Amino acid sequence: MVLADINVGILYLFAISSLGVYGIIMAGWASNSKYAFLGAIRSAAQMVSYEVSIGFVIITVLLCVGSLNLSQIVEAQSGSWGIFNWFVFPLLPMAVIFFISGLAETNRHPFDLPEAEAELVSGYNVEYSAMTFALFFLGEYANMILMSAMTTVLFLGGWLPPFNIAPFTWIPGPIWFALKIAACLFVFLWVRATLPRYRYDQLMRLGWKVFLPISLVAVAVVAGALLAFGWMPARAG
Amino acid sequence: MIVPALAFYVFAAIAIVSGAMVVSARNPVHSVLFLILAFFNAAGLFVLMGAEFLAMILVVVYVGAVAVMFMFVVMMLDINFAELRQGFLRYLPIGGVIGLILLVELLIILGGWQLSPIASSTATVAITPPVSEVNNTQALGQLLYTHYIYLFQAAGVILLIAMIGAIVLTHRRRPGVRRQNIGRQIARRPADSIEIRKIPTGKGL
């Protein structure tokens, strides 16, 4: 089922997803227009800021798993309790922070300041049309799907069924995985339809003054709890 | 066995060429982009050596964060590119000498590691477990957090001091800057800020 079972799977995803910012910066810079440039600058600052808290959230999950391997992260969430073994319950604040940072990382509402049409016309993609414009949006939507898949793997138990009883275990793993990704994508669209756009200073405050301290403390708390109660994962690799 | 060798030469060649392009590109933004290409190829070389953790960290830290900051600064700078390149030939010898010193130092490290009797004796009694038993994420973790924890913490303290120093040097109260005071903004009431007057017809204020 697993295409490439690499040891540092989650780091690989994190590394590659941090490259998305270059498309936006280069597009904004190459347009040679002030709106596109402002959009690109905003996007760079925003994505770098929220990557920090995403990194800390991933660290808390990794502390509970003891491995960077994606399959082992999912397997650590299996157990007789079904849905209650998923990390979304013990690490609920982290899951929320991860999802909101994911919204900011993919430049979706309410953090779509790089393309805020009310102030920047259309931001970094204002000078692009037709297929080049379509490529930007394909990239953004693919990034959304990637973020949903990461949320699913880290917090929602990957391909595991919610309960280990008959009707749920009949459905194969890939379908559960797709369903969970679809649920996360639904929340992306739901948030987009519900919330107004943040102001830029509010966005920066949320990233650096709220999420970063909370996730930093959470790393210490989770590590301390694992050590104090002897819940340290014994798995190697 | 031919594929890893071929991959090594491809990565190494692109890394060297893009390194040369970093210093010779006419536009600083192109320099930064070539720097990113060089980072990528270095990450590829790490993967070939079996150090997948280092490769990923290189991409996350340098490509994902540091190079974005470089790009940010370079794009915001308002500089005359022709003027910037004027002293190129004048500074070429100094730059060459610095590069040569770095090369010699690297060779000394490599030579000392190969020749020194202490290094060769400790290599047999390795402080880390063999690579076949443990993956390099765990091996690095054991080195950093178990064997060299004091040095690691000292490095952390130095970085913290550097960070505080940078903040102290740049973060000063500038006169004449109007800052947003959210508390004052919220405390402001309509009764304090607007005044309603009845103006009789035919008369001014």
Side-chain angles (χ1 to χ4, degrees):
Chain A
M1 214 67 251
V2 181
L3 207 61
D5 200 16
I6 48 178
N7 276 334
V8 288
I10 192 74
L11 264 185
Y12 178 76
L13 277 183
F14 190 56
I16 299 303
S17 68
S18 67
L19 301 182
V21 67
Y22 284 110
I24 292 174
I25 295 188
M26 281 152 82
W29 180 73
S31 294
N32 217 358
S33 127
K34 62 182 166 201
Y35 292 122
F37 187 65
L38 280 172
I41 289 288
R42 280 181 174 191
S43 159
Q46 172 178 339
M47 289 171 97
V48 168
S49 313
Y50 280 83
E51 226 160 60
V52 184
S53 53
I54 284 191
F56 279 119
V57 172
I58 290 177
I59 289 175
T60 57
V61 174
L62 294 182
L63 283 171
C64 301
V65 179
S67 166
L68 293 164
N69 188 311
L70 291 173
S71 319
Q72 290 186 9
I73 290 174
V74 174
E75 274 154 21
Q77 301 176 57
S78 67
S80 52
W81 291 65
I83 191 169
F84 299 106
N85 278 104
W86 298 354
F87 285 142
V88 66
F89 290 110
L91 299 175
L92 183 64
M94 296 294 99
V96 173
I97 288 180
F98 184 83
F99 192 79
I100 296 175
S101 303
L103 286 175
E105 190 72 9
T106 50
N107 296 324
R108 294 295 296 176
H109 265 272
F111 307 111
D112 65 336
L113 288 144
E115 46 185 300
E117 61 274 356
E119 30 188 320
L120 291 184
V121 198
S122 179
Y124 65 92
N125 58 29
V126 69
E127 306 283 343
Y128 291 83
S129 61
M131 200 56 215
T132 45
F133 178 78
L135 286 174
F136 279 120
F137 267 72
L138 283 175
E140 188 174 319
Y141 278 76
N143 207 351
M144 272 168 67
I145 296 174
L146 175 74
M147 267 298 156
S148 306
M150 277 175 82
T151 313
T152 306
V153 166
L154 289 174
F155 294 106
L156 300 178
W159 59 81
L160 301 167
F163 300 103
N164 280 326
I165 46 174
F168 296 104
T169 45
W170 290 345
I171 301 172
I175 295 189
W176 276 122
F177 195 63
L179 280 176
K180 287 171 186 173
I181 290 177
C184 291
L185 282 173
F186 168 74
V187 180
F188 264 89
L189 302 184
W190 189 18
V191 165
R192 177 192 159 84
T194 310
L195 296 174
R197 182 178 297 133
Y198 260 55
R199 222 167 55 205
Y200 199 73
D201 60 319
Q202 293 172 331
L203 171 94
M204 282 295 155
R205 207 191 71 202
L206 184 71
W208 289 106
K209 292 189 180 170
V210 180
F211 284 176
L212 184 63
I214 290 178
S215 51
L216 200 59
V217 168
V219 170
V221 168
V222 169
L226 289 175
L227 197 64
F229 298 112
W231 295 335
M232 208 66 112
R235 103 187 34 234
Chain B
M1 274 296 101
I2 185 90
V3 176
L6 206 65
F8 171 80
Y9 286 116
V10 168
F11 283 136
I14 297 177
I16 290 171
V17 169
S18 51
M21 289 303 285
V22 171
V23 279
S24 62
R26 199 163 284 277
N27 190 328
V29 176
H30 296 171
S31 290
V32 177
L33 291 174
F34 277 115
L35 189 66
I36 294 162
L37 188 61
F39 284 148
F40 255 108
N41 287 286
L45 290 175
F46 272 134
V47 170
L48 282 181
M49 290 195 306
E52 75 268 11
F53 183 78
L54 280 181
M56 292 309 144
I57 288 296
L58 186 75
V59 175
V60 169
V61 174
Y62 282 93
V63 179
V66 173
V68 173
M69 288 299 158
F70 282 178
M71 193 99 142
F72 208 87
V73 171
V74 163
M75 288 193 323
M76 302 272 268
L77 287 178
D78 183 26
I79 37 177
N80 185 354
F81 298 136
E83 203 176 286
L84 194 72
R85 308 211 30 102
Q86 262 175 3
F88 188 73
L89 279 179
R90 198 150 55 90
Y91 292 117
L92 195 61
I94 303 173
V97 166
I98 292 173
L100 204 67
I101 290 172
L102 284 176
L103 181 68
V104 168
E105 281 177 345
L106 274 178
L107 288 177
I108 288 173
I109 291 171
L110 194 69
W113 190 46
Q114 295 282 338
L115 297 176
S116 144
I118 307 163
S120 58
S121 66
T122 49
T124 52
V125 275
I127 45 173
T128 52
V131 183
S132 53
E133 286 174 22
V134 103
N135 64 39
N136 63 59
T137 312
Q138 279 181 327
L140 264 178
Q142 266 174 5
L143 265 186
L144 279 182
Y145 297 112
T146 308
H147 295 288
Y148 294 112
I149 180 65
Y150 295 118
L151 290 177
F152 183 71
Q153 294 215 322
V157 169
I158 291 170
L159 281 176
L160 181 69
I161 292 170
M163 196 169 79
I164 294 171
I167 292 171
V168 166
L169 286 177
T170 54
H171 195 88
R172 56 181 190 275
R173 275 253 170 250
R174 291 180 181 81
V177 177
R178 302 178 69 177
R179 289 178 174 279
Q180 182 185 25
N181 186 340
I182 294 173
R184 250 182 63 200
Q185 248 178 4
I186 294 171
R188 202 169 138 108
R189 287 170 308 147
D192 304 334
S193 44
I194 54 172
E195 186 183 352
I196 298 172
R197 290 196 185 180
K198 270 255 184 288
I199 301 170
T201 320
K203 288 183 183 171
L205 264 179

